[in-house]
Amino acid sequence: ISNTRHPTGDHAPVRVTHISAAGPVVRIQLTRTDTGDDLEAELSRDEYRSTPLKVGDTAYAGPRHAALTDYTI
């Protein structure tokens, strides 16, 4: 996910709901504010430092490299 603090044409509004910064990759759980859909983003520590987010922040997220995972139980 690429994220920004300002809206762009291909980015959706999201709210940060959880951040896990343990290990080399920062995992961020997001909820789209327009649809309520949950998203998950993984950022390198350098990427995270360049746009630090906190739980409760509003940002705009768009796909950089999309991966679709289908779970069946």
Side-chain angles (χ1 to χ4, degrees):
I1 271 194
S2 65
N3 67 67
T4 177
R5 298 275 184 175
H6 307 286
T8 63
D10 61 345
H11 284 61
V14 295
R15 181 164 322 277
V16 178
T17 57
H18 182 78
I19 298 173
S20 176
V25 176
V26 178
R27 290 176 175 80
I28 303 172
Q29 293 178 355
L30 309 162
T31 299
R32 285 184 59 154
T33 59
D34 58 348
T35 65
D37 293 336
D38 292 327
L39 304 171
E40 187 173 292
E42 292 184 352
L43 302 174
S44 70
R45 289 203 168 273
D46 288 339
E47 290 172 311
Y48 179 71
R49 282 187 205 111
S50 71
T51 310
L53 297 169
K54 298 178 292 197
V55 172
D57 281 356
T58 297
Y60 297 86
R64 185 178 325 155
H65 304 287
L68 182 61
T69 305
D70 183 20
Y71 293 99
T72 304
I73 296 179

